[in-house]
Amino acid sequence: MLSIRAEGAKGKNSGGAGAVEVSKQLLRLWPWLAAITSGLLGAAGLPPLDQTWLIWIALVPLCATILFSGENTRHRWLRDILLGYVAGLTFFWSCFFWMTTVTVLGWFVLQFYLALYFAIWGWFCGLMRPRPRKIVARDKWSEMLARAKPELLPASSPWLSSSHNFFLALCLTAAWVALEWTRGWLMSGFGWNGLGIALHGTWPLIQIAEFTGVAGVTFLVVFCNAILTTTARRIWEETRSRAMRPHFDLTFTLVGLVAVFVLGVSAVQTRSVSRSLHVALVQANVPRAEKFDIRYKQTIFDKFARLSKIALISTANIDLLVWPESAMPAPVLEDQETFDFVGQMASSNQVDVLLGTIEEGRDQVYNGALLVSPENEPQLYRKVHLVPFGEFVPFRHSFPLFAKIVGDQVPEDFDAGTDFTVFRLANNHGKVAPLICFEDTIGELTREFVLRGADFFANVTNDGWFLRSAGSRQHLANAVFRCVENRRPMVRAANTGVTCFVNEFGRVTQMLRDDQGSIFEEGTLIGSVNIAAEPTLTFYARHGEFFAKLCTAFASFILLAKIVFLSRRIGH
């Protein structure tokens, strides 16, 4: 009997030891699970899931684990970097999964670079982490305790201070905006899917982009995440001390959020005098294997002729007919048969035809957009911003691995144009900015057309490379902010979607869908574009990414001051 009891006790002890070991493992893992959670929450806020509400808490797990854990870690700064890097890898691998439709290796490798921006922010977040301050001993007992066991003196928590939490949130947010802005231009730039893009459908909150660009929307999201994190810590500490009191940091944030919402609603209700331009968009859904094959020239001619005829017959007085990027398999200006086909379409229907085309010169090849009018000479725009690994391979000859990543998808490099050409429609119907492919996702580029007099944007794109993935929907989500920033409407003609109309407030007013609701099938979309009778320049159009640069300057100053302070402290 004693033996049985001993064995039972031994079993209980071993079971308890096992539970303790599991608890220790979970304690070691939870920071990394929190980082992964942040990445997943951020990606879920973007298309295709579009769970916008998650973006308001996406950074909280990552921020909390950096600020509130790891006190006994030997190299805490390295831990902060790795936590940010894990969150970044999770985020970019999740939201850019559509890249696997083009190149699996390219999708896998690119994210190792993009995740560096999360890693840098993780390091900055750790650098801004406050150090606990000891309360000064004020009596003999406290002095004796301080000499014997100084660790028992209570610490004054900085998390109870509204000013501290507000300033910390401001610093972390400015740094995040600075890194997103840098990602948009460094090494040709790939600024897709900043956290503010998740609000693309929440039109009242994105109207501030007229002044700040999409950076201001991102600022709003990240600041709320940071304040939620510090507020949760403050409430926890106040609960322990039973000294609850109101704090202005959370109150100010909520009031600011409501103010932005109200101002956004007011902006949308304020409409200027405008005139309508009737536009027909064609989505041909030409298979990727046929699009550049000259053997399918006549088949493609017939498809565009049929779809265009449907649009032109169903509605009178179409002013502009838009076909997608690289609509014809042969260069329009170099191939006489193709040029005659497009010219005949314009002249016989008395309509301007805007389409994407390849222009081949003696030594150069451009991805271009062409406007063919019934009476005027053709107008050509050569794409200014080329997509790395899509239209050219960086260091193709000096670093052959890059060329192997994309394989035969990019056999040769395009040349970049230099002029922001604005097309003039016939009969003074207006001036249009021809944006090709991803150019409608770049704020600084788009505003250059507005400064040259563009009344509206026309994006011609071929997102057929991404098949039926979320790539085309993310493309649109990023593009709608160009309309808000410049208060100019946009029409988009895609080969396989998304073909749509977007007004000057960033709201998608019409979208091409088939009877089953799919955005990927062939068809035509007819609508009107409201062009301002007296167009004006927004603050963003005049000053560009001023807000993002301001955040960058502020974050850089704080970083420099922090480094100087720490170096002096170590020196003493």
Side-chain angles (χ1 to χ4, degrees):
M1 182 67 69
L2 291 174
S3 175
I4 293 174
R5 288 179 179 175
E7 287 295 330
K10 183 178 179 182
K12 288 181 180 179
N13 290 335
S14 62
V20 170
E21 185 61 31
V22 170
S23 298
K24 289 181 178 179
Q25 290 291 342
L26 289 175
L27 284 174
R28 283 194 289 265
L29 286 176
W30 87 262
W32 309 100
L33 294 176
I36 292 172
T37 300
S38 277
L40 292 175
L41 291 176
L46 296 162
L49 297 180
D50 268 327
Q51 298 299 309
T52 306
W53 65 276
L54 291 176
I55 211 67
W56 299 103
I57 59 172
L59 288 181
V60 171
L62 175 63
C63 198
T65 192
I66 291 176
L67 292 176
F68 309 144
S69 69
E71 295 85 353
N72 299 321
T73 305
R74 185 176 180 183
H75 298 294
R76 200 174 180 184
W77 62 271
L78 181 59
R79 176 181 180 270
D80 299 335
I81 292 174
L82 291 177
L83 285 169
Y85 199 65
V86 168
L89 285 175
T90 305
F91 174 78
F92 289 116
W93 271 336
S94 299
C95 68
F96 288 140
F97 188 76
W98 49 265
M99 287 185 178
T100 57
T101 61
V102 182
T103 165
V104 175
L105 182 59
W107 159 77
F108 184 76
V109 172
L110 177 62
Q111 317 320 322
F112 285 104
Y113 159 68
L114 295 177
L116 289 173
Y117 293 95
F118 273 68
I120 295 172
W121 187 79
W123 171 76
F124 182 87
C125 187
L127 191 68
M128 297 301 298
R129 181 173 46 237
R131 272 62 179 174
R133 301 182 297 272
K134 297 294 184 181
I135 294 178
V136 178
R138 299 182 183 276
D139 51 41
K140 288 186 176 181
W141 171 253
S142 296
E143 290 177 1
M144 292 172 59
L145 181 64
R147 286 195 294 268
K149 291 186 176 292
E151 69 276 6
L152 295 181
L153 276 176
S156 60
S157 174
W159 305 110
L160 298 176
S161 168
S162 290
S163 57
H164 166 268
N165 294 343
F166 187 87
F167 182 72
L168 176 63
L170 188 65
C171 293
L172 297 183
T173 305
W176 185 280
V177 171
L179 289 166
E180 276 197 1
W181 171 68
T182 303
R183 178 163 67 90
W185 58 262
L186 187 64
M187 296 177 62
S188 292
F190 191 62
W192 275 41
N193 293 352
L195 292 189
I197 300 298
L199 301 185
H200 66 94
T202 313
W203 56 266
L205 291 180
I206 68 174
Q207 301 309 313
I208 58 172
E210 176 185 358
F211 305 98
T212 64
V214 70
V217 185
T218 293
F219 186 97
L220 192 67
V221 170
V222 179
F223 190 86
C224 287
N225 272 267
I227 287 295
L228 281 177
T229 305
T230 57
T231 298
R233 175 61 182 260
R234 172 177 60 79
I235 292 175
W236 179 73
E237 294 202 4
E238 286 183 338
T239 302
R240 294 175 64 201
S241 62
R242 299 180 181 179
M244 302 290 289
R245 60 189 178 89
H247 288 260
F248 78 81
D249 53 343
L250 180 61
T251 303
F252 182 85
T253 302
L254 294 176
V255 170
L257 198 60
V258 172
V260 170
F261 186 92
V262 172
L263 290 174
V265 173
S266 176
V268 171
Q269 292 176 343
T270 305
R271 293 178 178 269
S272 58
V273 179
S274 61
R275 55 188 174 84
S276 294
L277 182 78
H278 302 292
V279 182
L281 310 175
V282 173
Q283 181 169 297
N285 194 23
V286 178
R288 190 166 65 182
E290 300 177 8
K291 193 167 182 60
F292 300 100
D293 193 333
I294 203 69
R295 294 175 298 177
Y296 294 94
K297 181 194 289 188
Q298 190 59 50
T299 302
I300 293 173
F301 283 177
D302 294 342
K303 176 172 283 195
F304 273 96
R306 173 174 56 82
L307 293 172
S308 299
K309 185 177 181 180
I310 293 173
L312 294 168
I313 290 177
S314 61
T315 303
N317 301 322
I318 294 295
D319 301 307
L320 176 64
L321 178 65
V322 186
W323 295 348
E325 179 185 12
S326 304
M328 301 288 104
V332 176
L333 294 178
E334 284 74 39
D335 185 80
Q336 189 63 45
E337 184 181 11
T338 303
F339 182 78
D340 291 342
F341 169 73
V342 179
Q344 179 65 24
M345 179 65 66
S347 59
S348 62
N349 296 284
Q350 289 298 296
V351 63
D352 289 334
V353 180
L354 194 160
L355 72 158
T357 183
I358 303 299
E359 186 204 9
E360 294 183 355
R362 181 174 300 177
D363 301 314
Q364 295 174 311
V365 180
Y366 297 97
N367 188 3
L370 185 69
L371 182 71
V372 179
S373 299
E375 300 173 357
N376 302 329
E377 290 293 319
Q379 300 172 58
L380 177 69
Y381 163 66
R382 295 166 174 167
K383 189 179 182 187
V384 172
H385 182 85
L386 301 178
V387 179
F389 302 104
E391 292 167 318
F392 77 102
V393 177
F395 312 109
R396 177 187 290 273
H397 302 293
S398 58
F399 200 62
L401 176 62
F402 283 172
K404 291 182 180 179
I405 288 175
V406 295
D408 59 356
Q409 303 285 359
V410 189
E412 296 181 4
D413 294 340
F414 281 106
D415 295 288
T418 56
D419 299 323
F420 298 93
T421 307
V422 176
F423 292 161
R424 293 180 176 271
L425 302 181
N427 302 317
N428 293 320
H429 282 153
K431 292 176 283 187
V432 55
L435 305 174
I436 302 174
C437 193
F438 291 172
E439 285 188 322
D440 64 349
T441 67
I442 306 170
E444 285 281 17
L445 180 146
T446 305
R447 63 180 279 267
E448 291 294 338
F449 290 95
V450 175
L451 292 175
R452 288 161 176 77
D455 296 314
F456 70 104
F457 306 124
N459 176 242
V460 292
T461 187
N462 175 28
D463 289 346
W465 295 100
F466 315 135
L467 303 180
R468 293 173 179 254
S469 69
S472 57
R473 281 164 286 181
Q474 288 184 12
H475 185 179
L476 172 61
N478 283 265
V480 298
F481 287 89
R482 308 294 83 77
C483 300
V484 184
E485 289 166 350
N486 300 281
R487 293 298 183 213
R488 299 291 192 275
M490 179 188 294
V491 298
R492 304 181 80 247
N495 180 39
T496 57
V498 180
T499 295
C500 63
F501 288 79
V502 186
N503 68 13
E504 66 271 29
F505 303 109
R507 300 177 70 177
V508 178
T509 56
Q510 292 176 260
M511 183 181 295
L512 179 62
R513 296 181 183 274
D514 65 8
D515 295 337
Q516 285 72 44
S518 173
I519 62 173
F520 299 107
E521 304 301 331
E522 69 174 45
T524 58
L525 186 64
I526 302 168
S528 297
V529 174
N530 293 322
I531 298 177
E534 296 182 2
T536 58
L537 296 178
T538 63
F539 182 89
Y540 181 87
R542 286 183 278 116
H543 302 287
E545 298 290 348
F546 175 81
F547 181 78
K549 294 174 183 176
L550 185 65
C551 288
T552 303
F554 177 75
S556 300
F557 173 77
I558 294 298
L559 176 62
L560 181 61
K562 192 72 173 179
I563 291 175
V564 170
F565 172 77
L566 290 177
S567 62
R568 287 181 177 177
R569 183 170 147 182
I570 294 172
H572 286 87

